[in-house]
Amino acid sequence: MMWPFTPAFPLQIWPSQASVGAREMDALFLTELGISALMVLLIFGCIFFFAIKYHRRSPNERPRPIRGGIMLESAWSGIPLLVFLVFFFWGAKIYFANAAPPKDAMQIYVIGKQWMWYVQHPAGQREIDELHVPAGRDVQLILTSQDVIHSFFIPAFRIKKDAVPGMYTTEWFRATTPGSYHLFCAQYCGTSHSHMIGTVYVMKEADYEQWLAGARGEPMAVAGGKLYVRYGCDNCHGRICPTLSRLYMQQVGLADGRIVRADDAYMRESILDPGAKIVAGYPNLMPSFRGVLSELEVLELIAYIRSLGTPALAGEGAGIGAGQGLGTAAGIAAPDAREQQGNQNATPPDANPHVTQSDRSSEIQKREGGEVRTQ
Amino acid sequence: MPSTSTYYKIFALLMILAFATTGIAFIDLGIFNPIVAMLIAVTKATLVVLFFMHVRYQGRLTFVFAIAGFCWLLILLLLISTDYLTRGWLPLPGAIPPMGF
Amino acid sequence: MAASTEPLVGRTPNYLNAEHSVKSWLLTTDHKRIALLYLVSITVMFALGGIFAMLIRIELITPQGDLLSSDSYNRAFSMHGIIMIFFFLVPSIPATLGNFLVPMMVGARDLAFPRINLLSWYLYIAGAAVMLYVMVTGGVDTGWTFYAPFSSLFSNGRVTLTVVAVFIAGFSSILTGLNFIVTIHTMRAPGMTWGRLPLFLWSHYATAVIMVLATPVLAVTMMMLGLEHVFHIGIFDPALGGDPILFQHLFWFYSHPAVYIMILPGMGVVSELIACFSRKRIFGYGFVAFASLAIAILSFLVWGHHMFVSGQSAYAGMVFSILSFLVAVPSAIKVFNWTATMYKGSISYDTPMLYALGFIGLFTMGGLTGMMLATLGIDVHVHDTYFVIAHFHYIMVGGAVMAYMGGLHYWWPKLSGRMYPEIWGRISATIIFLGFNLTFFPQFIAGYLGMPRRYHAYSPEFQVYNVLSSAGASILAVGYLMPLIYFFWSMRYGPRAPANPWGATGLEWKTASPPPTENFEQPPIVLEEAYHYSDEEAPIA
Amino acid sequence: MPEAAASPIHSRMKHQFETLAQQHHADTLGMWVFLGTEVLFFGGLITAYVLYRTAYSAAFAHASLTLDIVSGTVMTVVLLGSSLTMAMAVHAAHLGHRKTLAVFLILTIVLGLAFLGIKGHEYYQKWEDHHIPGPGFVWDGPDARAAQLFIYFYFALTGLHALHMIIGAGIMGVLLLQTALGRVRTYTVEISGLYWHFVDIVWIFLFPLLYLVDRHK
């Protein structure tokens, strides 16, 4: 009988380090490992030493009790606490760097589905259980799930993020070393959870360009434009419903007086639950597309709306109605007047990154988006 | 033990507060509507706990046990809102969950 | 019990021989008998959970997943988790040793509510029966964490009944906690002030607080989940506007404190063992006592560290991370004080002490890896990998189960009136320690390499560590079987135990082994502090 | 009063206690600990409700308007009244006035049942209006999904509360029986009273949370 155990030598004891973040995390981990090893040695050493040195020699021994000293107690609570604080700040620094992707990162959409990873590049390339990325560039993944919670885990990059149904989460990395790496689903998701795995290919820039050229597919904005026509969205939008032109990242005044930013989450909600946030001055006419559109189609529609442009004069004041409290009248209700009114309000502090970022992505997609509109 | 007249007085107070809470709900106080409603509810609950449930007439231990549950509920509410209140804070293009507020 | 104390066929009347009918056991309100009922039932559940663990370990010897189907594997680890957590670890020390000892240590005849104590056991049995029914009718595949929307809308296992079982078992745990709190508050013997309470009682008090205040949240969450599973209407389904992450918040609001329900009683046991076998008062008694309460309170503030990659806000992650570091401080205080207690002690290596020393070492390792998991940046990588599995097994098995075994050996003479064979005890303690480390240490490495948990098939480079782990698990199983055998043996053939075989302090040792039904011949009066092994006093350290 | 000479009915001391005072202390404390558990039992659900209400404030406000504020207020008054009668019953038990105790127990039960009756009528209205969460849910407002969540919480919270009311009424019934048989014990009444007041307090919070979300609109 064949013994199925064929260990891979040399034995792997450390995961490959293939991203900038991986190096930073390993440094922190090694530090904590070192301190922990010292602590374990100290405790085990004391136990062994005391156990031998103070071994009971006669059954009638009565050692004198020692009351604890406040100094000693403070020392061994205070010193660990200080060490912990250092670890906390160090860890938080890495975590926040991890949580906020650079503004100019290239974006790739990932949809988890029992039991596969569907990867969609904005320019149209589609992959299943594979992810091709260039080395040396920041890549942001935008994750969602079609059914249950999954988790997109690339050990070589030391990143992991849950893909949660009904919301978009994100993670990013800058791969350093070309090669192929594991991709796992880390959140238990049912029967074939352990088969929801794949490969991440980190490629040299030139190879990546070649791959891009070879992989076929329709750009997301184009696909979204087709959906837009197929579902008859153009019958109403721009006529009796708010226009979608230059809507992306616009401040929108709602019927109930609130003001929201037309980001991806807002668009997703407005497609699936149109009644949830109604634009001021418009009737609640739109049917829900929940169950009609797949997660991918929603993303494509959002990509299409992005390709229709972001607010003009974005740098100075993207927000119409923002900060007005009663911003309904000046909001999206009067889109044609937007350019003139655009700079009347201060920009919200966090508006700029969005605008810059989405300007870039709309640049990529402008060509194809334009074609769709003329169909 | 309180006398019966104390009970009647407390009951009258509770009645006033009950009608007050309904009445105030029809006045537009903006964000203060739920706050006022909750303050009145806490007042009513305190009256019931102190007088009807005799906490006022018992030792400190009973008092601690009476409020422990509410304190723990506050922990739950407070820490859970650290998530929901801050979900939209980080400017993440395309990654803002719908449940944040 | 006013009647004669005359020897009855060479034996004094005690709680074991007071009555013999089945009814006298099943309807007993004697806390000692209920403790034994619990002991038998949780041992059965431990064995069941262990069988599932062995299935998992055998499956994982090869990477291909060729022994069990994916679905069976998922059911195996789910049943292992649910049975071990809700039906073994949560009731383990409190419901057996705690039930037996809390009244005796405070110097009372029974718990404050003996009938509620019996009800708690029946609730446990009802929950366990439902769980067994689930097991024989196909099992459940949600994992013990029941994450929505998988468990509520997608799972094909018996979710509803499992949720009912956990709900019922939760109430059993609440009633135990309620009984402990009231007993420790109101039934202490004259002279038993809070400052004289054995640390076992301090830690059980802290445990009871968690049981009473955390478990109801689990109960209501399970209820919501069950309703959502049955009617497909609920509050966690994103398609209906719900937030699946809310389930995780509510679930961990119970389940993180629940970790301390499992470990705090173990800390109490270890405090007793270290003091007894070093013949010394616990170093920094007050600090250890208050560390228990601090852990109980802080444990409620840290649940979000299970959710660093879940989509929870990064700011919430920061709050939960720093609070998690804070809860590590009282645990560290305990470890240092136990170690310091041994300094200039009179140390003997009886079996319970071996378990206690093993506990300190393994708990230290579990705690330090917990510190790594509380670090935001590191958790992102190791979350949901075998690193986490190894970490919590170091706490749960290396901590809680080691303490449970140590406590069982220490108080076995009191429970049964017989001594176990000391040499076999030491051998099995050593085997368990070695087997445990061989089982779980390789999982740290596999986890850091990136092997995700709950994987039925895995990548071949992890195989070395899985083979080591499975080998260790079989050694561990032998280690656990040995006490089972010699405890049974000792009930009939073991030498009779004196009232105080270890020369320990504490009220439970001042009465006969096994104790009479009323615990004490005379209501005890306490005149000295806990762990009063010597009248002399050394200068303050 | 004809029964002025009566004395409080003492509990039989259970074997595990040394004194009656110790037993009473333990019983009272036990009930308070149990109520602490109950606070978090409702608390988990209320937390979820508060979060969703903040997330879907407009829809929840709208859905809340479909609840009948008159019946809500009446229920509050009825329940507060039952708290008063309960307090009076405990008072009578301490004085050993058996007849007064019986009368107040009956009043408490009647008020409790009245509350449940109104609640039942509300549920029936919801059934008539097809406001039952599930496939048959009909909603003419803008955000049916969030409205359904609100109605779900309405049923979950008030249903759980009504369950506690039914248990409470059952306990009162047993007490009444014991009073009639002359076997009622003062501390049993006192502790049952704590439970009854607690159920009342839950409603004190549920009423503004559910019925008064945004009435002024």
Side-chain angles (χ1 to χ4, degrees):
Chain A
M1 201 176 110
M2 265 274 286
W3 176 241
F5 178 38
T6 48
F9 284 108
L11 207 56
Q12 195 185 1
I13 57 162
W14 203 260
S16 2
Q17 245 183 11
S19 76
V20 178
R23 259 180 252 149
E24 290 168 4
M25 212 214 81
D26 281 353
L28 173 55
F29 181 75
L30 281 171
T31 312
E32 293 202 7
L33 199 61
I35 301 246
S36 302
L38 280 180
M39 280 303 307
V40 169
L41 281 181
L42 179 75
I43 298 287
F44 274 68
C46 283
I47 288 177
F48 276 112
F49 179 72
F50 293 161
I52 293 164
K53 176 121 197 274
Y54 304 115
H55 175 56
R56 186 174 297 169
R57 292 189 168 78
S58 85
N60 298 322
E61 262 182 4
R62 293 286 157 189
R64 295 189 299 175
I66 308 170
R67 306 228 155 224
I70 185 78
M71 290 306 290
L72 202 51
E73 299 284 350
S74 318
W76 65 40
S77 345
I79 294 170
L81 186 63
L82 288 180
V83 176
F84 288 162
L85 282 180
V86 171
F87 289 155
F88 164 72
F89 282 110
W90 191 347
K93 188 170 152 271
I94 292 176
Y95 185 70
F96 269 77
N98 219 344
K103 291 160 199 161
D104 54 350
M106 60 182 277
Q107 295 184 324
I108 298 173
Y109 293 89
V110 177
I111 299 169
K113 191 179 172 305
Q114 281 179 331
W115 291 279
M116 54 174 260
W117 290 108
Y118 185 94
V119 178
Q120 172 76 56
H121 298 253
Q125 294 77 14
R126 301 178 176 198
E127 308 179 63
I128 288 174
D129 291 341
E130 286 187 356
L131 173 64
H132 288 79
V133 290
R137 272 172 71 186
D138 296 335
V139 178
Q140 180 194 1
L141 304 176
I142 295 171
L143 310 159
T144 189
S145 162
Q146 191 122 324
D147 35 53
V148 304
I149 301 176
H150 304 279
S151 194
F152 198 83
F153 176 33
I154 308 172
F157 299 168
R158 314 283 189 276
I159 59 163
K160 179 186 291 122
K161 191 79 178 184
D162 282 6
V164 185
M167 71 192 250
Y168 298 131
T169 53
T170 192
E171 62 187 347
W172 75 277
F173 56 86
R174 180 196 280 254
T176 50
T177 323
S180 55
Y181 305 100
H182 280 303
L183 154 63
F184 294 127
C185 174
Q187 182 61 270
Y188 175 64
C189 58
T191 308
S192 296
H193 169 54
S194 61
H195 297 294
M196 194 166 164
I197 55 176
T199 312
V200 179
Y201 297 96
V202 176
M203 311 168 91
K204 291 198 190 91
E205 190 71 39
D207 297 342
Y208 180 69
E209 293 301 331
Q210 204 177 353
W211 176 82
L212 273 186
R216 274 173 305 175
E218 208 173 21
M220 286 175 79
V222 178
K226 286 184 182 162
L227 288 170
Y228 189 77
V229 176
R230 189 190 328 152
Y231 288 103
C233 311
D234 53 346
N235 291 340
C236 305
H237 280 285
R239 296 175 193 166
I240 50 174
C241 294
T243 179
L244 303 182
S245 168
R246 291 182 182 166
L247 169 67
Y248 190 68
M249 285 300 160
Q250 173 71 275
Q251 301 281 344
V252 179
L254 300 184
D256 60 7
R258 281 181 301 160
I259 294 166
V260 296
R261 190 171 48 218
D263 55 19
D264 298 42
Y266 167 78
M267 298 205 190
R268 178 195 156 77
E269 186 181 29
S270 296
I271 294 168
L272 299 179
D273 301 289
K277 295 195 174 80
I278 298 170
V279 179
Y282 285 96
N284 178 27
L285 290 177
M286 184 171 153
S288 166
F289 284 85
R290 183 176 295 285
V292 177
L293 297 173
S294 69
E295 287 293 341
L296 176 65
E297 289 172 326
V298 174
L299 285 172
E300 286 172 342
L301 274 172
I302 296 174
Y304 169 69
I305 298 171
R306 276 180 176 211
S307 74
L308 299 179
T310 46
L313 303 171
E316 293 133 77
I320 293 177
Q324 279 189 347
L326 295 167
T328 48
I332 198 162
D336 294 333
R338 202 180 330 104
E339 278 88 344
Q340 288 77 40
Q341 299 181 0
N343 53 2
Q344 71 186 39
N345 295 302
T347 313
D350 55 347
N352 279 335
H354 301 272
V355 173
T356 323
Q357 176 274 322
S358 44
D359 272 351
R360 214 194 119 272
S361 65
S362 63
E363 249 171 55
I364 299 172
Q365 294 153 12
K366 205 156 273 171
R367 228 175 341 147
E368 285 86 3
E371 280 170 23
V372 172
R373 273 204 302 265
T374 56
Q375 271 174 359
Chain B
M1 280 305 127
S3 66
T4 47
S5 70
T6 314
Y7 287 138
Y8 286 119
K9 276 181 209 153
I10 295 300
F11 178 67
L13 213 52
L14 286 172
M15 282 294 108
I16 294 168
L17 287 171
F19 287 111
T21 189
T22 308
I24 289 172
F26 286 94
I27 305 166
D28 188 356
L29 301 174
I31 59 156
F32 290 103
N33 272 94
I35 295 172
V36 171
M38 278 300 108
L39 281 180
I40 295 180
V42 169
T43 315
K44 286 197 313 199
T46 312
L47 287 175
V48 173
V49 169
L50 286 183
F51 293 94
F52 286 175
M53 296 168 94
H54 299 162
V55 167
R56 187 161 180 262
Y57 310 96
Q58 281 164 354
R60 221 172 35 176
L61 186 63
T62 318
F63 179 75
V64 170
F65 276 74
I67 62 164
F70 290 97
C71 291
W72 254 257
L73 181 55
L74 279 185
I75 291 179
L76 174 59
L77 271 167
L78 205 74
L79 279 176
I80 218 168
S81 46
T82 59
D83 177 13
Y84 289 92
L85 286 177
T86 62
R87 272 198 197 175
W89 283 13
L90 269 188
L92 305 179
I96 298 157
M99 265 293 286
F101 28 84
Chain C
M1 288 305 294
S4 78
T5 49
E6 215 170 294
L8 187 80
V9 204
R11 272 188 283 169
T12 48
N14 58 52
Y15 81 104
L16 290 172
N17 63 17
E19 281 180 280
H20 291 285
S21 66
V22 174
K23 190 181 146 209
S24 76
W25 279 92
L26 292 183
L27 293 180
T28 182
T29 54
D30 182 356
H31 66 105
K32 298 180 287 303
R33 286 191 163 206
I34 296 173
L36 289 193
L37 292 176
Y38 259 119
L39 180 62
V40 172
S41 17
I42 70 165
T43 305
V44 171
M45 293 313 265
F46 182 61
L48 269 178
I51 289 170
F52 284 113
M54 284 319 288
L55 275 178
I56 296 170
R57 279 321 327 164
I58 293 169
E59 164 65 72
L60 291 179
I61 291 175
T62 61
Q64 297 89 351
D66 34 19
L67 177 72
L68 302 170
S69 72
S70 291
D71 263 331
S72 322
Y73 180 80
N74 295 344
R75 281 166 165 72
F77 76 69
S78 301
M79 298 299 287
H80 169 69
I82 293 167
I83 289 179
M84 285 301 201
I85 300 272
F86 296 110
F87 295 94
F88 173 68
L89 282 166
V90 166
S92 62
I93 296 179
T96 55
L97 298 176
N99 235 333
F100 193 89
L101 292 163
V102 166
M104 293 177 70
M105 283 187 171
V106 297
R109 277 187 285 268
D110 205 325
L111 285 167
F113 308 116
R115 280 188 297 179
I116 287 182
N117 195 19
L118 182 65
L119 174 66
S120 146
W121 181 71
Y122 272 103
L123 284 175
Y124 173 85
I125 288 298
V130 176
M131 203 59 226
L132 290 181
Y133 179 76
V134 167
M135 197 180 90
V136 297
T137 56
V140 68
D141 66 341
T142 58
W144 79 275
T145 48
F146 301 104
Y147 272 17
F150 175 72
S151 60
S152 58
L153 300 171
F154 290 85
S155 164
N156 52 15
R158 291 191 149 270
V159 177
T160 319
L161 280 177
T162 311
V163 159
V164 169
V166 171
F167 186 89
I168 298 174
F171 276 93
S172 148
S173 162
I174 288 174
L175 294 181
T176 303
L178 187 152
N179 236 330
F180 286 176
I181 290 180
V182 175
T183 304
I184 295 175
H185 265 291
T186 64
M187 317 235 346
R188 281 170 286 127
M192 182 59 99
T193 57
W194 286 89
R196 287 176 179 170
L197 283 185
L199 290 165
F200 184 86
L201 290 183
W202 274 104
S203 69
H204 270 73
Y205 186 81
T207 309
V209 168
I210 303 179
M211 284 173 159
V212 163
L213 291 173
T215 318
V217 177
L218 174 78
V220 79
T221 310
M222 289 292 119
M223 218 169 78
M224 292 296 104
L225 187 73
L227 288 175
E228 186 157 334
H229 186 71
V230 176
F231 298 113
H232 284 246
I233 293 290
I235 59 172
F236 305 124
D237 178 7
L240 297 179
D243 179 13
I245 295 179
L246 178 64
F247 174 83
Q248 300 174 22
H249 276 299
L250 293 175
F251 178 80
W252 289 113
F253 181 80
Y254 165 77
S255 295
H256 192 75
V259 172
Y260 292 94
I261 292 181
M262 306 172 213
I263 195 68
L264 269 172
M267 293 170 158
V269 169
V270 168
S271 299
E272 299 295 315
L273 302 186
I274 297 282
C276 172
F277 294 99
S278 304
R279 291 239 173 111
K280 263 179 84 208
R281 187 172 202 267
I282 286 285
F283 189 89
Y285 165 92
F287 286 91
V288 179
F290 278 102
S292 290
L293 290 187
I295 287 175
I297 292 168
L298 288 172
S299 72
F300 281 90
L301 312 179
V302 302
W303 78 82
H305 67 216
H306 295 267
M307 299 164 61
F308 287 159
V309 302
S310 70
Q312 145 184 276
S313 150
Y315 295 95
M318 211 167 67
V319 172
F320 284 121
S321 169
I322 192 153
L323 289 167
S324 307
F325 278 115
L326 288 188
V327 80
V329 172
S331 306
I333 290 178
K334 290 196 171 214
V335 169
F336 291 132
N337 278 304
W338 290 324
T339 313
T341 304
M342 292 168 65
Y343 175 68
K344 290 195 176 172
S346 166
I347 297 165
S348 72
Y349 314 132
D350 294 297
T351 309
M353 186 62 166
L354 295 183
Y355 278 109
L357 297 181
F359 172 98
I360 298 179
L362 300 179
F363 177 74
T364 303
M365 289 175 72
L368 287 165
T369 49
M371 170 193 80
M372 298 175 190
L373 289 168
T375 312
L376 284 161
I378 296 177
D379 181 72
V380 169
H381 175 55
V382 289
H383 180 79
D384 273 341
T385 66
Y386 266 78
F387 193 90
V388 174
I389 306 290
H391 155 71
F392 73 69
H393 280 90
Y394 265 78
I395 300 284
M396 301 286 84
V397 185
V401 180
M402 289 294 264
Y404 173 66
M405 295 299 288
L408 210 53
H409 283 82
Y410 180 59
W411 283 292
W412 183 254
K414 191 56 67 180
L415 257 80
S416 67
R418 304 275 184 164
M419 298 303 290
Y420 61 87
E422 181 59 35
I423 181 71
W424 286 106
R426 291 184 192 184
I427 290 172
S428 79
T430 314
I431 289 178
I432 289 177
F433 183 82
L434 296 177
F436 173 83
N437 279 303
L438 185 56
T439 310
F440 292 104
F441 195 82
Q443 296 186 1
F444 280 124
I445 304 171
Y448 199 76
L449 282 176
M451 179 169 169
R453 67 192 287 195
R454 297 172 172 176
Y455 260 34
H456 165 237
Y458 56 88
S459 191
E461 71 259 31
F462 305 129
Q463 192 182 10
V464 184
Y465 304 107
N466 280 290
V467 169
L468 287 175
S469 193
S470 298
S474 48
I475 297 175
L476 196 54
V478 172
Y480 284 134
L481 277 175
M482 285 167 61
L484 192 69
I485 295 166
Y486 64 68
F487 276 144
F488 266 113
W489 175 88
S490 80
M491 283 197 296
R492 194 172 175 89
Y493 305 105
R496 288 193 190 284
N500 188 359
W502 313 112
T505 63
L507 290 179
E508 78 269 27
W509 301 111
K510 298 220 156 71
T511 183
S513 299
T517 304
E518 297 275 291
N519 290 349
F520 302 99
E521 301 286 334
Q522 308 270 314
I525 295 171
V526 182
L527 297 171
E528 54 193 29
E529 289 181 320
Y531 319 116
H532 189 87
Y533 284 96
S534 162
D535 291 327
E536 279 180 272
E537 186 115 329
I540 287 170
Chain D
M1 277 197 181
E3 31 175 24
S7 62
I9 308 107
H10 288 303
S11 327
R12 181 172 44 98
M13 196 170 78
K14 301 190 184 94
H15 81 102
Q16 68 270 28
F17 295 106
E18 301 293 334
T19 63
L20 258 183
Q22 186 191 30
Q23 177 172 340
H24 292 162
H25 187 200
D27 286 354
T28 317
L29 204 60
M31 186 41 108
W32 277 107
V33 173
F34 177 70
L35 296 184
T37 293
E38 288 274 38
V39 168
L40 280 139
F41 191 65
F42 280 98
L45 205 48
I46 289 176
T47 305
Y49 169 78
V50 168
L51 291 174
Y52 283 116
R53 171 174 158 172
T54 321
Y56 303 109
S57 49
F60 269 43
H62 182 255
S64 160
L65 290 177
T66 63
L67 302 185
D68 186 351
I69 190 158
V70 176
S71 84
T73 311
V74 171
M75 277 192 283
T76 309
V77 170
V78 166
L79 211 49
L80 287 175
S82 80
S83 248
L84 175 70
T85 57
M86 189 69 235
M88 299 302 287
V90 173
H91 195 72
H94 274 290
L95 295 176
H97 296 170
R98 249 180 66 198
K99 270 187 197 152
T100 326
L101 171 60
V103 168
F104 278 118
L105 282 177
I106 291 171
L107 276 176
T108 309
I109 293 172
V110 167
L111 287 170
L113 291 179
F115 176 92
L116 287 171
I118 306 171
K119 186 95 264 165
H121 181 71
E122 263 193 6
Y123 282 4
Y124 177 71
Q125 283 296 322
K126 289 262 157 286
W127 173 261
E128 291 274 278
D129 296 344
H130 300 284
H131 286 173
I132 307 286
F137 187 76
V138 179
W139 195 258
D140 49 4
D143 196 355
R145 212 164 58 115
Q148 176 171 286
L149 269 180
F150 175 85
I151 300 293
Y152 180 86
F153 275 112
Y154 164 79
F155 275 109
L157 284 165
T158 59
L160 209 54
H161 178 258
L163 185 69
H164 281 77
M165 288 289 296
I166 293 169
I167 293 170
I171 293 172
M172 293 305 133
V174 172
L175 286 183
L176 188 62
L177 195 71
Q178 288 181 340
T179 312
L181 297 175
R183 289 209 307 245
V184 76
R185 305 200 185 271
T186 308
Y187 262 83
T188 321
V189 182
E190 164 108 27
I191 285 158
S192 314
L194 290 181
Y195 174 83
W196 188 268
H197 293 308
F198 170 78
V199 178
D200 181 25
I201 289 174
V202 172
W203 181 257
I204 287 177
F205 284 97
L206 290 189
F207 173 60
L209 278 175
L210 292 170
Y211 288 75
L212 307 177
V213 176
D214 243 351
R215 281 284 162 184
H216 54 270
K217 291 238 171 89

